[in-house]
Coordinates of all heavy atoms in Angstrom, one line a residue:
M1 N 102.7 112.1 121.8 CA 103.6 113.1 122.2 C 103.7 114.2 121.1 O 103.7 114.0 119.9 CB 105.0 112.5 122.3 CG 106.1 113.4 122.7 SD 107.7 112.7 122.9 CE 107.5 111.7 124.4
L2 N 103.6 115.5 121.6 CA 103.6 116.6 120.7 C 105.1 116.9 120.2 O 106.0 116.6 120.9 CB 103.1 117.8 121.4 CG 101.6 117.7 121.9 CD1 101.3 118.9 122.7 CD2 100.7 117.6 120.7
L3 N 105.2 117.5 119.0 CA 106.6 117.8 118.5 C 107.4 118.6 119.5 O 108.6 118.4 119.7 CB 106.5 118.6 117.2 CG 106.0 117.8 116.0 CD1 106.0 118.8 114.8 CD2 106.9 116.7 115.7
E4 N 106.7 119.6 120.2 CA 107.5 120.4 121.1 C 107.9 119.7 122.4 O 108.7 120.2 123.2 CB 106.8 121.7 121.4 CG 105.4 121.6 121.9 CD 104.3 121.6 120.8 OE1 104.6 121.7 119.6 OE2 103.2 121.3 121.1
E5 N 107.4 118.5 122.6 CA 107.8 117.7 123.7 C 108.9 116.7 123.4 O 109.5 116.1 124.3 CB 106.6 116.9 124.2 CG 105.5 117.8 124.8 CD 104.2 117.0 125.1 OE1 104.1 115.8 124.7 OE2 103.4 117.5 125.9
V6 N 109.2 116.4 122.2 CA 110.2 115.5 121.8 C 111.6 116.1 122.1 O 111.9 117.2 121.6 CB 110.1 115.1 120.3 CG1 111.2 114.2 119.8 CG2 108.8 114.5 119.9
N7 N 112.4 115.4 122.8 CA 113.7 115.9 123.2 C 114.7 115.2 122.3 O 114.9 114.0 122.3 CB 114.0 115.5 124.7 CG 115.1 116.4 125.3 OD1 115.6 117.3 124.6 ND2 115.5 116.1 126.5
I8 N 115.5 116.0 121.6 CA 116.4 115.6 120.5 C 117.8 115.9 120.9 O 118.1 117.1 121.3 CB 116.0 116.2 119.2 CG1 114.6 115.8 118.8 CG2 117.0 115.7 118.1 CD1 114.1 116.5 117.6
L9 N 118.7 115.0 120.6 CA 120.2 115.2 120.8 C 120.8 115.1 119.4 O 120.7 114.1 118.8 CB 120.8 114.2 121.7 CG 122.3 114.3 121.9 CD1 122.7 115.7 122.5 CD2 122.8 113.2 122.8
V10 N 121.4 116.2 119.0 CA 122.1 116.3 117.7 C 123.6 116.1 118.0 O 124.2 116.9 118.7 CB 121.8 117.6 116.9 CG1 122.7 117.7 115.6 CG2 120.4 117.7 116.6
V11 N 124.3 115.1 117.4 CA 125.7 114.9 117.7 C 126.4 115.0 116.3 O 126.2 114.2 115.4 CB 125.9 113.5 118.3 CG1 127.3 113.3 118.7 CG2 125.0 113.2 119.4
D12 N 127.4 115.9 116.3 CA 128.2 116.1 115.1 C 129.4 116.9 115.5 O 129.3 117.8 116.3 CB 127.4 116.9 114.0 CG 128.0 116.7 112.6 OD1 129.2 117.0 112.4 OD2 127.3 116.2 111.7
D13 N 130.5 116.5 114.9 CA 131.8 117.2 115.3 C 132.0 118.5 114.5 O 132.9 119.3 114.8 CB 133.0 116.3 115.1 CG 133.2 115.8 113.7 OD1 132.2 115.8 112.9 OD2 134.3 115.3 113.3
V14 N 131.1 118.8 113.5 CA 131.2 120.0 112.7 C 130.1 121.0 113.2 O 128.9 120.7 113.1 CB 131.0 119.7 111.2 CG1 131.0 121.0 110.4 CG2 132.1 118.8 110.7
N15 N 130.5 122.1 113.8 CA 129.6 123.0 114.4 C 128.5 123.5 113.4 O 127.3 123.6 113.7 CB 130.3 124.2 115.0 CG 129.3 125.2 115.7 OD1 128.6 124.8 116.6 ND2 129.3 126.4 115.3
T16 N 128.9 123.8 112.1 CA 128.0 124.2 111.1 C 126.8 123.2 110.9 O 125.7 123.6 110.8 CB 128.7 124.4 109.8 OG1 129.8 125.4 110.0 CG2 127.8 125.0 108.7
M17 N 127.2 121.9 110.9 CA 126.1 120.9 110.8 C 125.2 120.9 112.0 O 124.0 120.8 111.8 CB 126.8 119.5 110.6 CG 127.5 119.4 109.2 SD 126.4 119.7 107.8 CE 125.2 118.4 108.0
R18 N 125.8 121.0 113.2 CA 124.9 121.0 114.4 C 123.9 122.2 114.3 O 122.7 122.0 114.6 CB 125.8 121.2 115.6 CG 126.6 120.0 116.0 CD 127.2 120.0 117.4 NE 128.0 121.2 117.6 CZ 129.3 121.3 117.4 NH1 130.0 120.3 116.9 NH2 130.0 122.4 117.7
V19 N 124.4 123.4 113.9 CA 123.5 124.5 113.8 C 122.5 124.4 112.8 O 121.3 124.6 113.0 CB 124.4 125.8 113.6 CG1 123.5 127.0 113.3 CG2 125.3 126.1 114.8
Q20 N 122.9 123.9 111.6 CA 121.9 123.7 110.5 C 120.8 122.7 110.8 O 119.7 122.9 110.6 CB 122.6 123.3 109.2 CG 123.4 124.4 108.6 CD 124.2 123.9 107.3 OE1 124.3 122.7 107.1 NE2 124.7 124.9 106.6
I21 N 121.2 121.6 111.4 CA 120.3 120.5 111.8 C 119.3 121.1 112.9 O 118.1 120.9 112.8 CB 121.0 119.3 112.3 CG1 121.7 118.6 111.1 CG2 120.0 118.3 112.9 CD1 122.6 117.5 111.4
K22 N 119.9 121.8 113.9 CA 119.0 122.3 114.9 C 118.0 123.3 114.3 O 116.8 123.3 114.7 CB 119.9 123.0 116.0 CG 119.1 123.5 117.2 CD 120.0 124.1 118.2 CE 119.2 124.6 119.4 NZ 120.1 125.0 120.5
E23 N 118.5 124.2 113.5 CA 117.6 125.2 112.9 C 116.5 124.5 112.0 O 115.3 124.9 112.0 CB 118.3 126.2 112.1 CG 119.2 127.1 112.9 CD 118.4 127.8 114.0 OE1 117.3 128.4 113.7 OE2 118.8 127.8 115.2
L24 N 116.9 123.5 111.3 CA 115.9 122.7 110.4 C 114.8 122.1 111.3 O 113.6 122.2 111.0 CB 116.6 121.7 109.6 CG 115.8 120.9 108.7 CD1 115.1 121.7 107.6 CD2 116.6 119.8 108.0
L25 N 115.3 121.5 112.4 CA 114.3 120.8 113.3 C 113.4 121.9 113.9 O 112.2 121.6 114.1 CB 115.1 120.1 114.4 CG 115.8 118.8 114.0 CD1 116.8 118.4 115.1 CD2 114.9 117.7 113.6
K26 N 113.9 123.0 114.2 CA 113.0 124.1 114.8 C 111.9 124.5 113.7 O 110.8 124.7 114.1 CB 113.8 125.3 115.1 CG 114.6 125.2 116.4 CD 115.3 126.5 116.7 CE 116.1 126.4 118.0 NZ 116.8 127.7 118.3
T27 N 112.3 124.5 112.5 CA 111.3 124.9 111.4 C 110.2 123.9 111.3 O 109.1 124.2 110.9 CB 111.9 125.1 110.0 OG1 112.4 123.8 109.6 CG2 113.0 126.1 110.1
F28 N 110.4 122.6 111.7 CA 109.4 121.6 111.7 C 108.6 121.6 113.0 O 107.6 120.8 113.2 CB 110.0 120.2 111.5 CG 110.5 120.0 110.1 CD1 111.9 119.8 109.9 CD2 109.7 120.0 109.1 CE1 112.3 119.6 108.6 CE2 110.1 119.8 107.8 CZ 111.4 119.6 107.5
G29 N 108.9 122.4 114.0 CA 108.2 122.5 115.2 C 108.8 121.9 116.5 O 108.2 121.9 117.5
F30 N 110.0 121.3 116.3 CA 110.7 120.7 117.5 C 111.3 121.9 118.3 O 111.7 122.9 117.7 CB 111.8 119.8 117.1 CG 111.2 118.5 116.4 CD1 111.3 118.4 115.0 CD2 110.7 117.5 117.1 CE1 110.8 117.3 114.3 CE2 110.2 116.4 116.4 CZ 110.2 116.3 115.1
R31 N 111.2 121.8 119.6 CA 111.7 122.9 120.5 C 112.8 122.4 121.4 O 113.6 123.2 121.9 CB 110.5 123.5 121.3 CG 109.5 124.1 120.4 CD 110.0 125.4 119.8 NE 109.1 125.9 118.8 CZ 109.4 125.9 117.5 NH1 110.4 125.3 117.0 NH2 108.5 126.4 116.6
K32 N 112.8 121.2 121.8 CA 113.8 120.7 122.8 C 114.9 120.0 122.1 O 114.9 118.8 121.8 CB 113.1 119.7 123.8 CG 112.0 120.4 124.6 CD 111.2 119.4 125.4 CE 112.1 119.0 126.6 NZ 111.3 118.0 127.5
I33 N 115.9 120.8 121.7 CA 117.0 120.3 120.9 C 118.3 120.6 121.6 O 118.6 121.8 121.9 CB 117.0 120.9 119.5 CG1 115.7 120.7 118.8 CG2 118.1 120.3 118.6 CD1 115.4 121.6 117.7
S34 N 119.1 119.6 121.9 CA 120.4 119.8 122.5 C 121.5 119.4 121.5 O 121.2 118.6 120.6 CB 120.6 118.9 123.7 OG 119.7 119.3 124.7
V35 N 122.7 119.9 121.6 CA 123.7 119.5 120.6 C 125.0 119.0 121.4 O 125.2 119.4 122.5 CB 124.1 120.7 119.7 CG1 122.9 121.1 118.8 CG2 124.6 121.9 120.5
A36 N 125.7 118.2 120.7 CA 127.0 117.7 121.3 C 128.0 117.6 120.1 O 127.6 117.3 119.0 CB 126.8 116.3 121.9
G37 N 129.2 118.0 120.4 CA 130.3 118.0 119.4 C 131.1 116.8 119.2 O 132.0 116.7 118.4
S38 N 130.8 115.8 120.0 CA 131.5 114.5 120.0 C 130.7 113.4 120.7 O 129.7 113.7 121.4 CB 132.8 114.6 120.7 OG 132.6 114.7 122.1
G39 N 131.1 112.2 120.5 CA 130.4 111.1 121.1 C 130.6 111.2 122.6 O 129.7 110.8 123.4
E40 N 131.7 111.7 123.1 CA 131.9 111.8 124.5 C 131.0 112.9 125.1 O 130.5 112.7 126.2 CB 133.4 112.1 124.8 CG 134.4 111.0 124.4 CD 134.0 109.7 125.0 OE1 133.7 109.6 126.2 OE2 134.0 108.7 124.2
E41 N 130.9 114.0 124.4 CA 129.9 115.0 124.9 C 128.5 114.5 124.9 O 127.7 114.8 125.8 CB 130.0 116.3 124.0 CG 131.1 117.2 124.2 CD 131.1 118.4 123.3 OE1 130.0 118.8 122.9 OE2 132.2 118.9 122.9
A42 N 128.2 113.7 123.9 CA 126.8 113.1 123.8 C 126.6 112.1 125.0 O 125.5 112.1 125.6 CB 126.7 112.3 122.5
K43 N 127.6 111.3 125.4 CA 127.5 110.5 126.5 C 127.2 111.3 127.8 O 126.4 110.9 128.6 CB 128.7 109.6 126.7 CG 128.9 108.5 125.7 CD 130.2 107.7 125.9 CE 130.4 106.7 124.8 NZ 131.7 106.0 125.0
A44 N 127.9 112.4 127.9 CA 127.7 113.3 129.1 C 126.3 113.9 129.1 O 125.7 113.9 130.1 CB 128.8 114.4 129.1
A45 N 125.8 114.2 127.9 CA 124.4 114.8 127.8 C 123.4 113.8 128.2 O 122.4 114.1 128.9 CB 124.2 115.3 126.4
L46 N 123.6 112.5 127.9 CA 122.7 111.4 128.3 C 122.6 111.3 129.8 O 121.6 110.9 130.3 CB 123.1 110.1 127.7 CG 122.9 109.9 126.2 CD1 123.6 108.6 125.7 CD2 121.5 109.9 125.8
G47 N 123.7 111.7 130.5 CA 123.7 111.6 131.9 C 122.9 112.7 132.6 O 122.6 112.6 133.8
T48 N 122.6 113.7 131.8 CA 121.9 114.9 132.5 C 120.5 115.1 131.9 O 119.8 115.9 132.5 CB 122.7 116.2 132.2 OG1 122.8 116.4 130.8 CG2 124.1 116.1 132.8
D49 N 120.1 114.4 130.9 CA 118.8 114.6 130.3 C 118.3 113.3 129.7 O 119.1 112.4 129.5 CB 118.9 115.7 129.2 CG 117.6 116.4 129.0 OD1 116.5 116.0 129.5 OD2 117.6 117.5 128.4
T50 N 117.0 113.2 129.4 CA 116.4 112.1 128.8 C 116.0 112.5 127.4 O 115.3 113.4 127.2 CB 115.1 111.6 129.6 OG1 115.5 111.3 130.9 CG2 114.5 110.4 128.9
F51 N 116.5 111.7 126.4 CA 116.2 112.0 125.0 C 115.3 111.0 124.3 O 115.4 109.8 124.7 CB 117.6 112.2 124.2 CG 118.4 113.3 124.7 CD1 119.4 113.1 125.6 CD2 118.2 114.6 124.2 CE1 120.2 114.1 126.1 CE2 118.9 115.6 124.7 CZ 119.9 115.4 125.6
N52 N 114.5 111.5 123.4 CA 113.6 110.6 122.7 C 114.3 110.2 121.3 O 114.0 109.1 120.8 CB 112.3 111.3 122.3 CG 111.6 111.8 123.6 OD1 111.7 113.0 123.8 ND2 111.0 110.9 124.4
L53 N 115.2 111.1 120.8 CA 115.7 110.9 119.5 C 117.2 111.4 119.5 O 117.5 112.4 120.0 CB 114.9 111.6 118.5 CG 115.5 111.7 117.0 CD1 115.6 110.4 116.4 CD2 114.6 112.7 116.2
V54 N 118.1 110.6 118.9 CA 119.4 111.0 118.6 C 119.7 111.1 117.1 O 119.4 110.1 116.4 CB 120.5 110.0 119.3 CG1 121.9 110.4 118.9 CG2 120.3 110.0 120.8
L55 N 120.2 112.2 116.6 CA 120.6 112.4 115.3 C 122.1 112.5 115.3 O 122.6 113.4 115.9 CB 120.0 113.6 114.6 CG 118.5 113.7 114.5 CD1 118.0 115.0 114.0 CD2 118.0 112.6 113.6
C56 N 122.8 111.5 114.8 CA 124.3 111.4 115.0 C 125.1 111.3 113.7 O 124.7 110.4 112.9 CB 124.5 110.3 115.9 SG 126.3 110.1 116.4
D57 N 126.1 112.0 113.6 CA 127.1 111.9 112.5 C 127.8 110.6 112.7 O 128.1 110.1 113.8 CB 128.1 113.0 112.5 CG 129.1 113.0 111.4 OD1 128.8 112.4 110.3 OD2 130.2 113.6 111.5
W58 N 128.2 109.9 111.6 CA 129.0 108.7 111.7 C 130.4 108.9 111.9 O 131.1 108.3 112.8 CB 128.8 107.9 110.4 CG 129.2 106.4 110.5 CD1 130.4 106.0 111.0 CD2 128.5 105.3 110.0 NE1 130.5 104.6 110.8 CE2 129.3 104.2 110.2 CE3 127.3 105.1 109.4 CZ2 129.0 102.9 109.9 CZ3 126.9 103.9 109.0 CH2 127.8 102.8 109.3
H59 N 131.0 109.8 111.1 CA 132.5 110.0 111.1 C 132.9 111.1 112.0 O 132.9 112.3 111.7 CB 132.9 110.2 109.7 CG 132.6 109.1 108.8 ND1 133.3 107.9 108.8 CD2 131.6 108.9 107.8 CE1 132.8 107.1 107.9 NE2 131.8 107.7 107.3
M60 N 133.3 110.7 113.3 CA 133.8 111.7 114.3 C 134.9 111.0 115.0 O 135.1 109.8 114.8 CB 132.7 112.0 115.3 CG 131.4 112.7 114.7 SD 130.2 113.0 116.0 CE 129.8 111.4 116.6
A61 N 135.7 111.7 115.7 CA 136.8 111.2 116.5 C 136.8 111.8 117.9 O 136.3 112.9 118.0 CB 138.1 111.4 115.8
P62 N 137.2 111.2 118.9 CA 137.6 109.8 119.0 C 136.5 108.8 119.0 O 136.7 107.6 118.7 CB 138.4 109.7 120.3 CG 137.7 110.7 121.2 CD 137.3 111.8 120.3
T63 N 135.3 109.1 119.5 CA 134.2 108.2 119.5 C 133.3 108.5 118.3 O 132.7 109.6 118.2 CB 133.3 108.4 120.8 OG1 134.2 108.2 121.9 CG2 132.2 107.4 120.8
D64 N 133.3 107.6 117.3 CA 132.5 107.8 116.1 C 131.0 107.5 116.3 O 130.7 107.0 117.4 CB 133.1 107.1 114.9 CG 133.0 105.6 114.9 OD1 132.3 105.1 115.8 OD2 133.6 105.0 114.0
G65 N 130.2 107.7 115.4 CA 128.8 107.5 115.5 C 128.5 106.0 115.8 O 127.5 105.7 116.5
M66 N 129.2 105.1 115.1 CA 128.9 103.7 115.3 C 129.3 103.3 116.8 O 128.5 102.5 117.4 CB 129.7 102.8 114.4 CG 129.4 101.3 114.5 SD 127.7 100.9 114.3 CE 127.6 100.8 112.5
D67 N 130.4 103.8 117.3 CA 130.7 103.5 118.7 C 129.7 104.1 119.6 O 129.3 103.4 120.6 CB 132.1 104.1 119.1 CG 133.2 103.4 118.4 OD1 133.1 102.2 118.0 OD2 134.3 104.1 118.2
F68 N 129.2 105.3 119.3 CA 128.1 105.9 120.2 C 126.8 105.1 120.1 O 126.2 104.8 121.1 CB 127.9 107.3 119.8 CG 126.9 108.0 120.7 CD1 127.1 108.1 122.1 CD2 125.8 108.6 120.2 CE1 126.2 108.7 122.9 CE2 124.9 109.3 121.0 CZ 125.1 109.3 122.3
L69 N 126.5 104.6 118.9 CA 125.3 103.8 118.7 C 125.4 102.5 119.5 O 124.5 102.1 120.2 CB 125.1 103.4 117.2 CG 124.0 102.4 116.9 CD1 122.7 102.9 117.3 CD2 124.1 102.1 115.4
K70 N 126.6 101.9 119.5 CA 126.8 100.6 120.3 C 126.7 100.9 121.8 O 126.2 100.1 122.5 CB 128.2 100.0 119.9 CG 128.2 99.4 118.5 CD 129.6 98.9 118.2 CE 129.6 98.3 116.8 NZ 130.9 97.9 116.3
F71 N 127.2 102.1 122.2 CA 127.1 102.5 123.6 C 125.6 102.6 124.0 O 125.2 102.0 125.0 CB 127.8 103.8 123.9 CG 127.5 104.4 125.2 CD1 128.1 103.9 126.3 CD2 126.6 105.4 125.3 CE1 127.8 104.4 127.6 CE2 126.3 105.9 126.6 CZ 126.9 105.4 127.7
I72 N 124.8 103.3 123.2 CA 123.4 103.5 123.4 C 122.7 102.1 123.5 O 121.9 101.9 124.4 CB 122.8 104.3 122.3 CG1 123.2 105.8 122.4 CG2 121.2 104.3 122.3 CD1 122.4 106.7 123.2
R73 N 122.9 101.3 122.5 CA 122.2 100.0 122.4 C 122.7 99.0 123.5 O 122.0 98.1 123.8 CB 122.3 99.4 121.0 CG 121.6 100.2 120.0 CD 120.1 100.3 120.3 NE 119.4 101.2 119.3 CZ 118.7 102.3 119.7 NH1 118.6 102.6 120.9 NH2 118.2 103.0 118.7
G74 N 123.8 99.3 124.1 CA 124.4 98.4 125.1 C 123.8 98.8 126.5 O 124.1 98.1 127.5
E75 N 123.1 99.9 126.6 CA 122.6 100.3 127.9 C 121.1 100.2 127.9 O 120.4 100.8 127.2 CB 123.0 101.8 128.2 CG 124.5 102.1 128.2 CD 125.0 101.6 129.6 OE1 124.3 101.6 130.6 OE2 126.2 101.3 129.6
I76 N 120.6 99.4 128.8 CA 119.1 99.1 128.9 C 118.3 100.4 129.1 O 117.2 100.5 128.6 CB 118.8 98.0 130.0 CG1 117.3 97.6 129.9 CG2 119.1 98.6 131.4 CD1 117.1 96.7 128.7
R77 N 118.9 101.4 129.8 CA 118.1 102.6 130.1 C 117.9 103.4 128.9 O 117.0 104.3 128.9 CB 118.8 103.4 131.2 CG 120.2 103.9 130.8 CD 121.0 104.5 131.9 NE 122.3 104.7 131.4 CZ 123.4 104.8 132.2 NH1 123.2 104.7 133.5 NH2 124.6 104.9 131.8
Y78 N 118.6 103.1 127.8 CA 118.4 103.9 126.5 C 117.7 103.1 125.5 O 117.7 103.4 124.3 CB 119.8 104.4 126.0 CG 120.6 105.2 127.0 CD1 121.9 104.9 127.3 CD2 120.0 106.3 127.7 CE1 122.6 105.6 128.2 CE2 120.8 107.0 128.6 CZ 122.1 106.6 128.8 OH 122.8 107.4 129.7
K79 N 117.1 102.0 125.9 CA 116.5 101.0 124.9 C 115.4 101.7 124.0 O 115.2 101.3 122.9 CB 116.0 99.8 125.6 CG 114.8 100.0 126.4 CD 114.3 98.7 127.0 CE 113.0 98.8 127.8 NZ 111.9 99.3 127.1
D80 N 114.7 102.7 124.5 CA 113.7 103.3 123.8 C 114.1 104.6 123.0 O 113.2 105.2 122.4 CB 112.5 103.7 124.7 CG 111.9 102.4 125.3 OD1 111.8 101.4 124.6 OD2 111.4 102.5 126.5
V81 N 115.3 104.9 123.0 CA 115.8 106.1 122.3 C 115.9 105.8 120.8 O 116.6 104.8 120.4 CB 117.2 106.6 122.9 CG1 117.7 107.7 122.0 CG2 117.1 107.0 124.3
C82 N 115.3 106.5 120.0 CA 115.4 106.4 118.5 C 116.7 106.9 118.1 O 117.2 108.0 118.6 CB 114.3 107.1 117.8 SG 112.6 106.4 118.2
F83 N 117.4 106.3 117.2 CA 118.7 106.7 116.8 C 118.8 106.7 115.2 O 118.5 105.7 114.6 CB 119.8 105.7 117.3 CG 121.2 106.1 117.2 CD1 121.8 106.5 118.4 CD2 121.9 106.2 116.0 CE1 123.1 106.9 118.4 CE2 123.2 106.7 116.0 CZ 123.8 107.0 117.2
I84 N 119.1 107.9 114.7 CA 119.2 108.1 113.3 C 120.6 108.5 113.0 O 121.1 109.5 113.6 CB 118.2 109.2 112.7 CG1 116.8 108.7 113.0 CG2 118.5 109.4 111.2 CD1 115.7 109.7 112.6
M85 N 121.3 107.8 112.1 CA 122.7 108.2 111.7 C 122.6 109.1 110.5 O 122.0 108.8 109.5 CB 123.4 106.9 111.3 CG 124.9 107.0 111.3 SD 125.7 107.1 112.9 CE 125.7 105.3 113.3
V86 N 123.2 110.3 110.7 CA 123.2 111.3 109.7 C 124.6 111.2 109.0 O 125.6 111.6 109.6 CB 123.0 112.7 110.3 CG1 123.0 113.8 109.2 CG2 121.7 112.8 111.0
T87 N 124.6 110.7 107.8 CA 125.9 110.4 107.2 C 125.9 110.2 105.7 O 124.8 110.0 105.1 CB 126.5 109.1 107.9 OG1 127.8 108.9 107.4 CG2 125.6 107.9 107.5
A88 N 127.0 110.3 105.1 CA 127.1 110.0 103.7 C 127.7 108.6 103.5 O 128.0 108.2 102.4 CB 128.0 111.0 103.0
E89 N 127.9 107.9 104.6 CA 128.4 106.5 104.6 C 127.5 105.7 103.7 O 126.3 105.6 103.8 CB 128.5 105.9 106.0 CG 129.0 104.5 106.0 CD 130.4 104.3 105.5 OE1 131.3 105.0 106.1 OE2 130.7 103.5 104.6
S90 N 128.1 105.0 102.7 CA 127.3 104.2 101.8 C 127.9 102.8 101.6 O 127.3 102.0 100.8 CB 127.2 104.9 100.4 OG 128.5 105.1 99.9
T91 N 128.9 102.4 102.3 CA 129.5 101.1 102.2 C 128.4 100.1 102.7 O 128.0 100.2 103.8 CB 130.8 101.0 103.0 OG1 131.7 102.0 102.6 CG2 131.4 99.6 102.8
K92 N 128.0 99.2 101.8 CA 126.9 98.3 102.1 C 127.1 97.6 103.4 O 126.2 97.5 104.2 CB 126.8 97.3 100.9 CG 125.6 96.4 101.1 CD 125.5 95.4 99.9 CE 124.4 94.4 100.2 NZ 124.2 93.5 99.0
E93 N 128.3 97.0 103.6 CA 128.6 96.2 104.8 C 128.5 97.1 106.1 O 127.9 96.6 107.1 CB 130.0 95.6 104.8 CG 130.2 94.6 103.7 CD 130.4 95.2 102.3 OE1 130.7 96.4 102.1 OE2 130.2 94.4 101.3
R94 N 128.9 98.3 106.0 CA 128.9 99.2 107.2 C 127.4 99.6 107.5 O 127.0 99.7 108.6 CB 129.8 100.4 107.0 CG 131.2 100.0 106.9 CD 132.2 101.0 107.2 NE 132.2 101.3 108.6 CZ 132.7 102.4 109.1 NH1 133.2 103.3 108.3 NH2 132.6 102.7 110.4
V95 N 126.7 99.9 106.4 CA 125.3 100.3 106.6 C 124.5 99.1 107.2 O 123.7 99.3 108.1 CB 124.6 100.7 105.3 CG1 123.1 100.9 105.4 CG2 125.3 102.0 104.8
I96 N 124.7 97.9 106.7 CA 124.1 96.7 107.3 C 124.5 96.5 108.8 O 123.6 96.2 109.6 CB 124.4 95.4 106.5 CG1 123.8 95.5 105.1 CG2 124.1 94.2 107.2 CD1 124.2 94.5 104.1
E97 N 125.7 96.8 109.1 CA 126.2 96.7 110.5 C 125.4 97.7 111.3 O 124.9 97.4 112.4 CB 127.7 96.9 110.6 CG 128.2 96.9 112.0 CD 129.6 97.4 112.2 OE1 130.2 97.8 111.2 OE2 130.1 97.3 113.3
A98 N 125.2 98.9 110.8 CA 124.5 99.9 111.6 C 123.1 99.5 111.8 O 122.5 99.7 112.9 CB 124.6 101.3 110.9
V99 N 122.4 99.0 110.8 CA 121.0 98.6 110.9 C 120.9 97.4 111.9 O 120.0 97.5 112.8 CB 120.4 98.2 109.6 CG1 119.1 97.5 109.7 CG2 120.4 99.4 108.6
K100 N 121.8 96.5 111.9 CA 121.8 95.4 112.8 C 122.1 95.8 114.2 O 121.6 95.2 115.2 CB 122.8 94.3 112.4 CG 122.4 93.5 111.2 CD 123.4 92.4 110.8 CE 123.0 91.6 109.6 NZ 124.0 90.6 109.3
T101 N 122.8 96.9 114.4 CA 123.2 97.4 115.7 C 122.0 98.2 116.3 O 121.9 98.4 117.5 CB 124.4 98.3 115.6 OG1 125.5 97.5 115.1 CG2 124.9 98.8 117.0
G102 N 121.1 98.7 115.5 CA 119.9 99.3 116.0 C 119.7 100.8 115.6 O 119.0 101.5 116.2
V103 N 120.3 101.1 114.4 CA 120.1 102.5 113.9 C 118.7 102.6 113.3 O 118.1 101.6 112.9 CB 121.2 102.9 112.9 CG1 121.1 102.2 111.6 CG2 121.3 104.4 112.8

């Protein structure tokens, strides 16, 4: 798959972060980049498009990144979606939980 064919969903509640991540991805050659400002918006986006990769902030409300990850991994239709958590979270137990959940 070519970089310009990879469909990416960036999920972050901070608009500045969404814009920065999207622009950074463009500089690497990615072209199909959608953004969502919450876990709920991200769930809605999944209903309208097929994504290869999700880049998601951990700390959001009301649906945080871990809840969204669990949603993704709980749905067989999203089993092949790569999920990267973009976060400063460093609590060992929480990071282990994220890895075990499928991040």
